[in-house]
Amino acid sequence: MVDPSPPTLELKGLCKAFGGITATDNLSLTVAAGEVHALIGPNGAGKTTTMAQITGEIRPDAGHILLDGRDITTLPVHARAALGIGRSFQITTLFPDFSALDNVAMAVQAKAGTSFRFWRPARQESELRDPARDALARVGLGDRTEVPAGDLSHGEKRALELAMALAGRPRLLLLDEPMAGMGPEESPRMVDLLLALKGSVAMLLVEHDMDAVFTLADRLTVLVTGAVVASGEPDRVRADPDVRRAYLGEGDHAPC
Amino acid sequence: MADRARIAPLAFLALLLALPPLLEAADQAFYISLLTRVLVSGLAAASLDLILGYGGMVSFGHAAFLGVGGYVFGILMSHGFMGDALVLGGVEIPGTNEALILLPIATILAGLVALAIGAICLRTGGVHFIMITLAFAQMLYFLFVGMEDYGGDDGLSLWDRATLAGWDVSSDMATFYLSLTALVAFLVLARRLVDSRFGMVIRAARQNERRLAALGLPVQRYKLACFALAGMAAGLAGALTVNHAEFVSPAMVHWTRSGEILVMVILGGMGTLYGPVLGAVVYFLLEHLLSGWTEHWMAAFGPALILAVLFFRGGLWRLIVGKEMDTAGGEARGEAVHHG
């Protein structure tokens, strides 16, 4: 690396095919430190496959993934997470029988080095519980700490997801449809939460809610059948005739 | 509820401590021996609970580690009695009848076998995990059947029980207290373990393994460590079983034995540690009562178990102390609320 400060995330010529179907087609993009980069495209465009390659759940056929200039293409999921990739899942996945606080404390614990500690009760360790309480307060769940995660409302679960991702103090936050399944009151709250976080952590955002995308994103990349159709500032991308034809239709809202 | 959860184990412990002298006074000493069998089975069941109730690993081969512990104990004891060394790969290993040597060796070797078997089995999940643990246990079963020097199919009889730091602890009463000490020590350690950072990882793995990996934890390593720890405790239970029975045979590793332990855990309550011990008590009690009534006692035992599992989904222990939320049996809380 010649550049003294490489981007937080860099994808270089990423390719992935499942049988004859190309899911990712020579995809390159960067997310700078503190930047919100939105990845949009119609269903089947390869957004989720791209996310899975960044997290390490799918291995690319070709290309490289760099985190802060370090090649992480071949690292397993947990090693990438340990290096600073936090994510919120498309389908809410928590530890449903644990309390909200337990869930976030687990995220803190995962970051705190080895968990091969067999004696001290983890629920009494303030070095786990305090940062977890802080993260819950940041996402507005300060008064729901003892509720089992499985009993939270949908919006609260998404917020809890976010708190767990934040508790790990990630370099890069992968947000896979954070607004999915949210009601009209809940979505703006999540957008406000993300706006408040903006600048403190780099985010790669996959989202169908175009209002949210245009509110949050510093840059926008449009994927169609795994390839980049357009990339740049949201207003420029929105005006791009290729994008309008391929994806955005006549209006500003996605057809899905 | 919280108070009952703390007091109940102590009450049971007090009862167990007091029982042998009372039974002897009542001229029912036979029951001391039966109770010892219950205790060591309870230890085996509680060790399975560590991986089943907390870790969500449904092992159908837990008796394998009982067998390893039992055979290590039995083989070294028999060499100790005969005075001939055990020769393994040119190395002479003298036998012994000292529990302070035998029990740790049996425990550690069972743990190592569990480590090896677990390393392979944990690559799978769900039904495959159940089947492959069963397959490994059956492999060990046939290995023991093939060990003609140690009785093969018929098993190996010992002449006496082990000594403890040179002391004669071969009486039924002493054997009971030795086994009880091991059980209590395991429960105290395991209780700490499940609430520690390690334990929280294991409990989280049961709920959502994928999420745990995404948080940056190498889940398999923790599950394997837990599997090996459970194997160690099962090995100790096996060694104590053999010490009590003065006999070891391949039947100890048979899949029906694994099934029995599984039933004790489910009956007593998964994810409670104490519950499986209670499950062992109830299991033996039912077996004892029903088999005194008819030789076809299994015909009544089966339905009784099904009813117990249907109506006490959280297990018997939770009937006594109430619910804990984040363990396998605790999932049944929805049902419990509807019934209650």
Side-chain angles (χ1 to χ4, degrees):
Chain A
M1 280 282 119
V2 193
D3 186 348
S5 60
T8 302
L9 178 75
E10 184 170 12
L11 307 182
K12 283 204 253 181
L14 222 51
C15 293
K16 180 72 195 177
F18 298 103
I21 297 156
T22 305
T24 307
D25 185 4
N26 196 23
L27 171 65
S28 297
L29 65 78
T30 61
V31 185
E35 180 190 38
V36 179
H37 192 139
L39 194 58
I40 65 169
N43 282 330
K47 304 181 297 282
T48 300
T49 309
T50 305
M51 285 291 207
Q53 289 173 84
I54 299 170
T55 60
E57 288 184 306
I58 296 176
R59 193 61 60 84
D61 298 331
H64 292 276
I65 303 165
L66 283 77
L67 186 70
D68 292 314
R70 177 178 169 175
D71 195 326
I72 59 164
T73 316
T74 57
L75 291 182
V77 176
H78 65 84
R80 296 181 194 208
L83 283 176
I85 295 185
R87 71 183 291 198
S88 99
F89 283 74
Q90 183 172 2
I91 296 157
T92 305
T93 56
L94 300 158
F95 306 114
D97 301 333
F98 276 170
S99 71
L101 186 58
D102 285 339
N103 270 269
V104 187
M106 184 52 72
V108 178
Q109 185 183 325
K111 269 280 160 175
T114 177
S115 286
F116 280 102
R117 297 196 190 171
F118 302 96
W119 191 249
R120 262 173 77 195
R123 283 189 174 120
Q124 292 167 23
E125 291 192 61
S126 56
E127 59 192 281
L128 300 180
R129 306 305 263 189
D130 292 348
R133 276 202 188 84
D134 289 348
L136 281 172
R138 271 173 93 185
V139 300
L141 289 177
D143 54 350
R144 305 283 279 161
T145 52
E146 296 308 323
V147 180
D151 294 348
L152 294 173
S153 77
H154 185 81
E156 287 174 329
K157 283 180 185 168
R158 308 299 317 217
L160 177 54
E161 273 284 345
L162 194 59
M164 289 172 76
L166 286 174
R169 303 201 169 281
R171 308 269 310 130
L172 171 72
L173 202 50
L174 301 176
L175 299 166
D176 199 352
E177 301 197 27
M179 261 53 92
M182 281 198 171
E185 302 105 56
E186 290 173 324
S187 284
R189 267 199 62 206
M190 180 56 88
V191 172
D192 287 345
L193 269 179
L194 293 174
L195 267 179
L197 295 174
K198 197 172 157 173
S200 61
V201 55
M203 298 186 222
L204 185 62
L205 170 71
V206 167
E207 182 53 56
H208 284 296
D209 181 336
M210 286 303 132
D211 291 333
V213 167
F214 283 107
T215 307
L216 289 166
D218 299 307
R219 275 196 295 161
L220 193 57
T221 292
V222 182
L223 276 189
V224 174
T225 60
V228 176
V229 175
S231 184
E233 284 166 23
D235 289 332
R236 247 195 52 225
V237 172
R238 177 151 48 176
D240 188 309
D242 284 342
V243 174
R244 299 190 79 88
R245 205 174 319 113
Y247 179 48
L248 290 174
E250 290 307 305
D252 285 340
H253 292 267
C256 39
Chain B
M1 283 303 190
D3 281 343
R4 265 202 271 170
R6 214 162 339 120
I7 292 164
L10 293 175
F12 277 105
L13 176 61
L15 182 67
L16 283 169
L17 283 169
L19 262 178
L22 293 176
L23 286 169
E24 205 165 59
D27 220 11
Q28 298 287 334
F30 159 75
Y31 283 102
I32 298 175
S33 185
L34 180 66
L35 269 175
T36 309
R37 274 177 62 203
V38 174
L39 291 183
V40 293
S41 288
L43 175 55
S47 75
L48 176 61
D49 192 28
L50 210 51
I51 52 174
L52 175 66
Y54 290 91
M57 295 172 254
V58 186
S59 168
F60 206 151
H62 207 56
F65 314 121
L66 275 181
V68 173
Y71 265 93
V72 167
F73 185 94
I75 289 170
L76 288 176
M77 273 286 274
S78 79
H79 280 285
F81 185 82
M82 305 295 254
D84 60 336
L86 166 65
V87 183
L88 263 185
V91 183
E92 288 200 3
I93 304 163
T96 176
N97 66 342
E98 174 50 53
L100 288 182
I101 299 171
L102 288 165
L103 295 180
I105 291 178
T107 304
I108 289 165
L109 282 180
L112 290 176
V113 172
L115 200 61
I117 290 179
I120 297 167
C121 295
L122 285 170
R123 291 168 183 276
T124 68
V127 178
H128 299 284
F129 184 78
I130 301 176
M131 297 315 289
I132 195 167
T133 48
L134 173 61
F136 270 109
Q138 285 301 92
M139 275 167 59
L140 278 175
Y141 173 78
F142 287 109
L143 175 77
F144 293 139
V145 166
M147 293 201 314
E148 293 297 339
D149 289 350
Y150 301 106
D153 217 357
D154 297 327
L156 176 67
S157 286
L158 305 175
W159 273 269
D160 200 359
R161 289 175 177 153
T163 57
L164 187 70
W167 288 69
D168 178 7
V169 285
S170 62
S171 73
D172 278 353
M173 181 101 73
T175 305
F176 173 90
Y177 285 114
L178 176 67
S179 306
L180 181 61
T181 305
L183 174 63
V184 171
F186 171 76
L187 289 175
V188 169
L189 290 176
R191 203 65 244 177
R192 293 295 299 211
L193 181 88
V194 297
D195 286 333
S196 71
R197 288 193 185 193
F198 179 83
M200 292 303 275
V201 171
I202 292 300
R203 291 152 87 156
R206 183 188 62 75
Q207 298 172 56
N208 196 338
E209 208 171 301
R210 187 166 164 240
R211 187 65 169 108
L212 207 48
L215 285 178
L217 283 162
V219 184
Q220 292 301 320
R221 254 178 256 170
Y222 290 95
K223 287 176 76 176
L224 180 57
C226 187
F227 193 83
L229 286 172
M232 286 176 76
L236 177 62
L240 290 169
T241 305
V242 172
N243 182 52
H244 168 251
E246 297 174 55
F247 176 67
V248 57
S249 82
M252 210 172 159
V253 198
H254 198 254
W255 67 269
T256 52
R257 186 82 184 111
S258 293
E260 272 174 37
I261 305 170
L262 209 51
V263 166
M264 289 171 193
V265 177
I266 296 166
L267 188 63
M270 287 188 284
T272 60
L273 284 175
Y274 303 121
V277 182
L278 180 63
V281 173
V282 173
Y283 188 98
F284 275 94
L285 207 64
L286 277 177
E287 181 183 320
H288 187 70
L289 291 176
L290 292 174
S291 63
W293 172 53
T294 164
E295 63 174 300
H296 304 296
W297 61 276
M298 276 287 187
F301 194 51
L305 282 180
I306 292 172
L307 288 177
V309 171
L310 280 179
F311 287 102
F312 315 126
R313 280 204 49 191
L316 297 172
W317 187 256
R318 286 193 177 82
L319 286 184
I320 299 175
V321 301
K323 314 267 177 250
E324 277 175 82
M325 289 310 177
D326 55 300
T327 50
E331 279 177 335
R333 68 183 192 271
E335 259 82 6
V337 170
H338 291 304
H339 285 298

